[in-house]
Amino acid sequence: MSDSHGSTDTTSAVDTRSTDSVSQQGYHGRPRNVVLYGESGVGKSSLINLIMGRDVAKTSPDALACTTTHAPYDVTISGQYFRLWETAGLNEGSEGTVPAAKAKRNLTTFLRSLHQEDGVHLLVYCVRGTRAIKALQTHYKIFSAAIHDSKVPTIVVVTCLEDFRPVMAEWWHKNKDELATYGMHFSGYACVTTLKDEPAESSDIHQRRTQSYEDVRRCILDHCSQTPHKAWGTDIITDQRNFLTILLQKLARFVG
């Protein structure tokens, strides 16, 4: 049974790391940009590793984020070329690895650079399954409320569901109405675990991780826009400028 719905400065702001999975597949062409965002410590790096099928992003065992730049990871899924962008969380505060003001500057530089090139084809909102629903509004509004005006699809990936019963997808069925009540709407979803299965672990963890890998990759395939023209509408330049203006206004309010 499936556990997902079928359907700063410039040099510090963008990390040029990539992987060789695309060259191994022999795929050529422009990648579609998939931007992962969410609170610090939510598991974006672990989700990147799950999607990639191997460890390429640095992870942290505690709640502090270890992502300080916006790092790209190239991957092919069913013969289609994607560039996954991992963004730093905006909620660490002055004591975290990435202070909010610096995170805002880095994010601004990153998004401006991305929009000047190929734009955004898909937003992936990463949330912990243990987080209170109302608390998820802030990051959603910063990114998704602005991007909705440009018709870029947003999916939600719910992590840390290895112990959720009877199946991980039940999280969505239990919480989708409350998400909608707080104004959070998504084109699709995947309920996952990024926990690695160790030899001492039960086969249930292995099965859930395998299902998570399949579900999140399928969700990206199903909901990622095909081209920037679809993502931004008929007037690409105007739509991009409108998005950036709205987003920067929301960032300014968020970090004060």
Side-chain angles (χ1 to χ4, degrees):
M1 178 175 180
S2 175
D3 277 332
S4 74
H5 195 283
S7 64
T8 130
D9 53 22
T10 304
T11 56
S12 64
V14 179
D15 190 330
T16 57
R17 286 177 289 171
S18 64
T19 73
D20 60 358
S21 58
V22 172
S23 60
Q24 289 175 348
Q25 295 285 343
Y27 188 91
H28 301 283
R30 301 292 292 180
R32 283 182 280 169
N33 291 312
V34 178
V35 177
L36 284 74
Y37 72 99
E39 292 181 326
S40 301
V42 75
K44 295 185 293 291
S45 298
S46 296
L47 182 58
I48 290 280
N49 291 337
L50 177 70
I51 296 169
M52 297 294 296
R54 66 186 189 280
D55 292 343
V56 294
K58 179 182 177 182
T59 60
S60 174
D62 53 35
L64 277 181
C66 57
T67 301
T68 58
T69 57
H70 305 292
Y73 300 94
D74 292 351
V75 63
T76 56
I77 303 175
S78 296
Q80 299 187 41
Y81 185 12
F82 300 93
R83 179 159 292 159
L84 310 176
W85 291 94
E86 181 184 6
T87 62
L90 298 174
N91 61 308
E92 287 192 76
S94 59
E95 301 302 320
T97 306
V98 189
K102 181 180 179 181
K104 180 224 173 182
R105 291 194 302 270
N106 286 353
L107 183 62
T108 300
T109 302
F110 160 68
L111 287 171
R112 183 176 289 117
S113 173
L114 200 58
H115 283 287
Q116 287 173 349
E117 297 183 11
D118 293 329
V120 179
H121 299 76
L122 180 68
L123 284 175
V124 179
Y125 186 22
C126 306
V127 304
R128 281 182 177 270
T130 55
R131 196 79 161 95
I133 298 299
K134 186 176 181 179
L136 303 178
Q137 283 183 295
T138 300
H139 275 68
Y140 178 89
K141 288 182 177 179
I142 289 175
F143 282 82
S144 300
I147 207 78
H148 279 335
D149 295 335
S150 303
K151 300 181 176 62
V152 174
T154 301
I155 64 173
V156 60
V157 176
V158 188
T159 65
C160 303
L161 294 178
E162 51 271 4
D163 295 321
F164 202 87
R165 306 298 174 187
V167 293
M168 293 183 289
E170 189 64 23
W171 186 97
W172 172 260
H173 300 306
K174 286 185 175 181
N175 294 287
K176 62 180 180 179
D177 290 340
E178 188 175 358
L179 287 167
T181 297
Y182 289 113
M184 290 179 277
H185 304 279
F186 301 98
S187 302
Y189 69 88
C191 297
V192 308
T193 177
T194 59
L195 189 66
K196 293 183 179 179
D197 55 300
E198 300 294 339
E201 298 286 349
S202 68
S203 60
D204 180 63
I205 293 297
H206 174 77
Q207 293 172 356
R208 286 186 170 224
R209 182 177 172 88
T210 299
Q211 187 69 62
S212 298
Y213 169 82
E214 295 172 353
D215 288 346
V216 71
R217 286 166 65 98
R218 172 54 57 186
C219 201
I220 291 172
L221 275 174
D222 287 348
H223 298 287
C224 190
S225 295
Q226 290 294 323
T227 67
H229 295 271
K230 284 187 178 181
W232 296 109
T234 55
D235 191 343
I236 301 171
I237 300 301
T238 299
D239 282 349
Q240 289 182 356
R241 287 174 178 169
N242 288 344
F243 160 73
L244 191 57
T245 298
I246 296 170
L247 179 58
L248 295 184
Q249 290 172 350
K250 292 179 180 294
L251 283 171
R253 288 199 294 269
F254 179 70
V255 298

